[in-house]
Amino acid sequence: MMARGLLLCLVALVMCLVTMERSVEGMLRGGNSRRGSVAGSSCTLTHRVAPGHSCDEIAETYKLATTTLKEFNPDVDCKHLLVGTKLCLN
């Protein structure tokens, strides 16, 4: 019984740390890495990052060069692409 309680506490702690890491990362990126404000008002075509997506795959899907995708989204770090990030495609 005590082991189960410790396990639940450990799971809760890990979830808290993951949430904090994402929050700090978002703040360091200007607060827009998960909310989608990267795609500005002039952007008419967007893509929401899903698990397993990479900048290369997204660019290929939309017939863009990866460098062009990065130019459209200067605040996005393709090496650490976060699920839920809204990318501008034009």
Side-chain angles (χ1 to χ4, degrees), residues 32-33 35-40 43 72-76 85-88:
N32 59 12
S33 62
R35 300 204 193 303
S37 60
V38 170
C43 188
F72 291 154
N73 301 279
D75 294 336
V76 173
T85 299
K86 188 176 180 182
L87 300 176
C88 182

Side-chain angles (χ1 to χ4, degrees), residues 9-73:
C9 287
L10 182 60
V11 169
L13 177 62
V14 169
M15 290 174 61
C16 182
L17 290 173
V18 168
T19 301
M20 286 175 39
E21 177 186 17
R22 288 180 179 165
S23 296
V24 169
E25 188 170 352
M27 287 187 291
L28 292 174
R29 291 184 182 177
N32 59 12
S33 62
R34 296 206 30 99
R35 300 204 193 303
S37 60
V38 170
S41 60
S42 64
C43 188
T44 58
L45 182 61
T46 62
H47 175 87
R48 183 77 62 178
V49 176
H53 284 183
S54 70
C55 285
D56 291 333
E57 292 169 336
I58 294 165
E60 184 178 330
T61 298
Y62 293 95
K63 311 269 190 267
L64 296 171
T66 302
T67 54
T68 302
L69 180 67
K70 290 178 182 180
E71 288 172 9
F72 291 154
N73 301 279

